[in-house]
Amino acid sequence: MEYLVVDSGAIIRGYGLELYGRAKTIVTVSEVMAEIRDSKSREILAKLPFPIEERVPSQESIKKVFDFARKTGDYAALSKTDLKLIALTFMLSCETNEKFIGNNNVLSLQEQMKKNNSETEEKKIVEQN
């Protein structure tokens, strides 16, 4: 697996070492790193034998995930950080062509995003000619 997106719970609960080797790159959003405030969790984070890369989900991914969460009724139950983590996971799964782990609706969303990107590229090619 190319990427593993992590939430603060994995670090705070001391599961950081269990992440080692599960993906080429461990990533998260800056909001998650800001949630790791207590000294014990900071110490666990500092001792990890790998870096946790901070990434920013694209605006397109954020919009799609926020819209999808509103449609499913999950928006009110998810924090902004949770939504950004989902958007980051979605964005990275599209970039790497790896399947986004989720239900068929999310996979459909991924396929729709790819279709929209293809249509945009086709439109650019036509406009250039």
Side-chain angles (χ1 to χ4, degrees):
M1 179 170 20
E2 185 69 29
Y3 295 102
L4 178 63
V5 179
V6 297
D7 195 4
S8 59
I11 307 303
I12 292 169
R13 291 183 183 92
Y15 299 130
L17 285 176
E18 293 179 29
L19 304 173
Y20 190 66
R22 295 211 176 182
K24 291 179 185 175
T25 308
I26 310 295
V27 296
T28 195
V29 294
S30 61
E31 292 84 352
V32 164
M33 297 304 275
E35 290 176 357
I36 302 172
R37 293 182 283 246
D38 66 283
S39 59
K40 182 180 176 185
S41 299
R42 286 265 175 214
E43 185 178 329
I44 291 168
L45 184 62
K47 289 182 179 180
L48 291 176
F50 55 88
I52 297 180
E53 183 180 315
E54 289 183 37
R55 296 279 305 264
V56 178
S58 67
Q59 287 301 313
E60 181 182 16
S61 292
I62 291 171
K63 181 178 179 350
K64 289 199 179 276
V65 167
F66 277 47
D67 290 348
F68 188 77
R70 285 185 186 100
K71 286 180 186 176
T72 62
D74 293 319
Y75 184 81
L78 295 167
S79 70
K80 296 267 192 234
T81 301
D82 292 335
L83 289 163
K84 282 189 167 184
L85 280 170
I86 296 166
L88 178 61
T89 304
F90 178 69
M91 179 188 84
L92 294 172
S93 70
C94 290
E95 284 179 10
T96 61
N97 242 356
E98 290 182 0
K99 288 293 182 191
F100 180 72
I101 300 171
N103 63 32
N104 289 336
N105 291 331
V106 176
L107 291 173
S108 296
L109 179 63
Q110 183 179 16
E111 293 304 316
Q112 184 62 45
M113 189 172 188
K114 286 180 185 175
K115 180 181 174 203
N116 289 347
N117 288 341
S118 294
E119 289 171 357
T120 302
E121 289 302 314
E122 288 174 14
K123 186 176 178 183
K124 286 179 185 176
I125 292 168
V126 170
E127 289 173 352
Q128 289 174 354
N129 292 329

